[in-house]
Amino acid sequence: SQTIHQWPATLVQPVGSPLSLECTVEGTSNPNLYWYRQAAGRGLQLLFYSVGIGQISSEVPQNLSASRPQDRQFILSSKKLLLSDSGFYLCAWSANEQFFGPGTRLTVL
Amino acid sequence: TQLLEQSPQFLSIQEGENLTVYCNSSSVFSSLQWYRQEPGEGPVLLVTVVTGGEVKKLKRLTFQFGDARKDSSLHITAAQPGDTGLYLCAGSLTSGTYKYIFGTGTRLKVLA
């Protein structure tokens, strides 16, 4: 069966510091991969998606970036965090249906 | 811009009551999914509907996809406190862009 991992689970970072969130998927090959951000108790905002290694589509202009160095690895990064980057970040994978990881709670102080 | 509007946004009901959540769009979807999310966790997939007019049942939950594949509903019979959570619908567009459009969410609280 397929599983998806995200880490860290929680993160507190100062403004201006770098960010690296990692997501890995097991049990499937060549999945579509996604990064979402969710405001408290609300719907999901798509940030990036990838249909293959090195292929990244950006949905929202921001100071975040994404990379897919391996087939089942998706990384969300920032060089300098802003207060507005705080939120709940979700990684997901899909073949015909979309499945989510456990999420990372990011607080920027 | 494709939008999926969910209604109601908030719902607080007593245990044993019935409820319906709606998910509406002007876009046509190749499939539509419903999720339930607990605080601090990722959304969990409940069901996927793919055929216009399709009805699927999951215990006390009934999901329906509109004939034109633009809307969907989730009906819960005899709600229980364990049904409490954020319900999200998500549509997969027919254009093959691999993107999912998410609804704004319905926060349900079932009181014992």
Side-chain angles (χ1 to χ4, degrees), chain A residues 3-39:
Chain A
T3 55
I4 179 169
H5 304 278
Q6 277 186 253
W7 65 91
T10 60
L11 191 59
V12 180
Q13 292 284 95
V15 169
S17 64
L19 172 73
S20 181
L21 302 181
E22 189 162 345
C23 171
T24 58
V25 181
E26 296 177 355
T28 186
S29 296
N30 196 31
N32 298 325
L33 296 173
Y34 307 81
W35 278 111
Y36 293 89
R37 180 168 56 203
Q38 184 177 31

Side-chain angles (χ1 to χ4, degrees), chain A:
Chain A
S1 63
Q2 300 86 5
T3 55
I4 179 169
H5 304 278
Q6 277 186 253
W7 65 91
T10 60
L11 191 59
V12 180
Q13 292 284 95
V15 169
S17 64
L19 172 73
S20 181
L21 302 181
E22 189 162 345
C23 171
T24 58
V25 181
E26 296 177 355
T28 186
S29 296
N30 196 31
N32 298 325
L33 296 173
Y34 307 81
W35 278 111
Y36 293 89
R37 180 168 56 203
Q38 184 177 31
R42 302 302 294 160
L44 278 63
Q45 178 188 33
L46 178 63
L47 302 176
F48 301 93
Y49 71 96
S50 171
V51 299
I53 296 174
Q55 301 179 59
I56 309 295
S57 295
S58 175
E59 291 296 301
V60 181
Q62 64 224 324
N63 69 322
L64 299 172
S65 62
S67 62
R68 185 171 178 172
Q70 300 181 45
D71 180 45
R72 290 170 288 178
Q73 183 185 28
F74 206 23
I75 298 172
L76 182 69
S77 304
S78 175
K79 293 182 179 179
K80 289 186 178 181
L81 283 168
L82 306 173
L83 286 174
S84 58
D85 291 323
S86 293
F88 192 50
Y89 288 82
L90 288 157
C91 179
W93 75 273
S94 77
N96 294 317
E97 297 172 314
Q98 190 170 68
F99 299 91
F100 286 86
T104 295
R105 172 73 58 193
L106 172 65
T107 302
V108 182
L109 302 174

